[in-house]
Amino acid sequence: MAAKFLIFAFLISQFSILTSVARAQTSTPYSGTPWPIPGIIEVEDFDLGGEGTAYHDLDSTNNGGQYRTAEGVDIGETSDGAGGRYEVGWTQAGEWLQYSVEVATTGTYSLTLRAGLVGYATGQGELHLEVDGVNVTGTMKTYTGLFWWQGYSTITVTGIRLTAGPHKLKLVLDKNASVGVGSLNWMLFDITDPPPAPVSVIYPDPVQGNIFYVAPGGNDNNPGTLALPWKTLAKAANALTPGQTVYIRAGIYRERLTPKNSGNQTNYIIYMAYPGEIVTIDGTGISIPPLEGLINVTGKRFIRISGLRVINSGVNVADGTWNMGISVQKADHVIIDGNFVSHIYSLGIDINQASSFIVVDNNEVTDANFGDTDGEVSLGVFWFSHDLLIKNNRVHHGKNEGIGAAAGVYDVQIHHNAVHHMGIGSDRIAIYIDAWTEHQYNIDVGANTVYDNTGQGIIAASEGGGLLENVNFFNNIVYNVGYSWGGIGIAPWTTTSSPTHPVQNINFINNTVYNNAGGGIVINNPEVKNIIIRNNIFYQNLTGNIKIDPVVPASEIIQDHNLTVNPQFINATAFDFHLKSTSPAIDAGSNLNAPNIDFDGLIRPAGSGYDVGAFEFGSTSPPASTPTPTPKTGDANSDGKIDGVDYMIWFNHYRQSVSGPSNGDFNSSGLVDGVDYMLWFNNYGR
């Protein structure tokens, strides 16, 4: 009898286990569809299904009282500036969260988990991630906030093998620190093998037959035609589908623009001012969540925002902290062009949270950060965003910094921007490249103009201990920068108490740096490695033209072919830094690592050697179209036109070591890089 009872009890226990497993697998995606991988998953966006099915929490109360208030998971607003509005906190060992995902491609992935502990915590929290019940990460540990902003850091695990198709992820909390396991913000999955084929960004134009209209005198019950337009931006944002455009008629719109749908690779969704009309989106009195914008593109793809006037974000509200003008997060293939952004509490334009293939072109940003106390920038790209093009923008008269690239961004081009009168009352930087706490690399900063800044000019740094490497500063013009630190350089600054600030493989080549209060180029970071200073003009900079601090190892600095005597500018008082025919800068440079075009996009060299400084004397544009077999510079497919097809060829080979114009290597240097892009850009349409 006892034996039968034991057998019966065993069967009951097995049935209980099986039904428990079955129940755990019935959770459903929070958004209605599985989260895509590669991509970002907010930790608070766990599945639907409730306690024991979608999650397990040790109590039934949402102790943070935010977001999913009917669930027992503890959710609060995050203080982490790395994106996302909420975080899961008050965590304890034994709890778990489950997510339905769809993996696009079989391959090897990396996981980046944004997590942290408050600074007074002792010990470390421990957790792991399971895929379909299998631990794929091993033990991950949360750290205190000693060296990291707001107590947060990033935990990275590589070599995770995933197969294409649907899966269940389970984030399992294993061990408490003194105050729980830690706060959890988001998970980022990137594919590392096979490397993904890039999809080029295109500039889409409105297509007749797919155009709708919004006007202040319209009605959302109208069909959205020119004669019978809609009234609100919200109507358009909710209605547009791939391939459709909304022309916004002149007027003031006191509402947010938040696109609901994505476009696709061949059919973008376009939000555009009606040609020739002034469209104003005014945020006065509109409550905007932290880390979001008056125009907010989150988790969307193939979108264009064009020609709009965006003002007063964070004005006349209870709390405007981290209220942006235009914000792009967790998005890809987005174009922000031709907009005017002004009087913004925090960032004017913010590209964040692993956004990719973003173009920010020909915008004007002014009076940003008016309410900010955190030293933010007017136009910024942050937190693992990549394949970014920031060009032709005018950024000026802001409280803090101008253009910033920080916190693990990579494959970024910043060129032909004008940045001036920044740091009003706060002595801030015009263009700042800062790794912060992450690995940041492959950044080209070229042909920008920086002037009349109360703070520094163009600076590279690693404030939080992340490695900054492979950065090129070329053909930039920096003048009349007023602060005592200098025009361009590498700084050892810290705001995180990090003991280390690694910076390596930085090139300063063919820049013109004139009349700056704190010196021409200043390098005082003792951890720098492999720094090249070549072909630059440093002239009439107060306190010195080339200032290398004694703490910097001399063996790590290469400086040659720089000019510190009178370069004979055409007219320095009128800020014309082209060279006179008698200039000692002519033919005085080196060809090593030098750009093959100058600030104006003209070919180097024009004479027997490369000139020093941002301009090449006597250079001409690439040859005009002639009926010869010689291909044009920038014409990758040799069809006689320099157009978007050639750009796509360049883009698909960017950062690859291949040779020849047919691969986008227009200067035949053996590497497809930003110089090749500028050759294409300056000949586009020819």
Side-chain angles (χ1 to χ4, degrees), residues 213-216 219-220 229-240 246-260 270-273 279-283 286 294-296 305 308-310:
Y213 299 84
V214 167
N219 188 308
D220 284 348
W230 296 324
K231 181 178 179 61
T232 66
L233 303 178
K235 172 66 176 181
N238 290 326
L240 293 190
V246 60
Y247 270 139
I248 307 171
R249 301 303 304 269
I252 298 176
Y253 297 82
R254 302 186 188 279
E255 58 175 312
R256 298 178 70 194
L257 173 57
T258 306
K260 177 183 178 182
I270 304 174
Y271 299 86
M272 181 177 287
V279 175
T280 299
I281 302 178
D282 188 341
I286 297 176
L294 191 54
I295 296 178
N296 201 70
I305 308 290
L308 305 177
R309 186 170 179 263
V310 182

Side-chain angles (χ1 to χ4, degrees), residues 478-553:
V478 182
Y479 64 93
N480 292 357
V481 168
Y483 192 62
S484 60
W485 199 84
I488 61 176
I490 303 173
W493 301 324
T494 182
T495 52
T496 62
S497 302
S498 173
T500 184
H501 309 283
V503 176
Q504 66 184 30
N505 304 333
I506 312 295
N507 297 326
F508 298 94
I509 301 179
N510 280 104
N511 300 285
T512 294
V513 184
Y514 168 76
N515 195 41
N516 299 289
I521 185 168
V522 180
I523 298 177
N524 55 5
N525 182 337
E527 298 179 63
V528 298
K529 294 182 179 179
N530 191 27
I531 310 302
I532 297 176
I533 307 170
R534 177 175 294 141
N535 292 0
N536 302 284
I537 293 175
F538 300 116
Y539 183 58
Q540 285 192 347
N541 296 285
L542 281 68
T543 73
N545 287 310
I546 301 176
K547 299 171 64 176
I548 311 297
D549 194 282
V551 301
V552 176

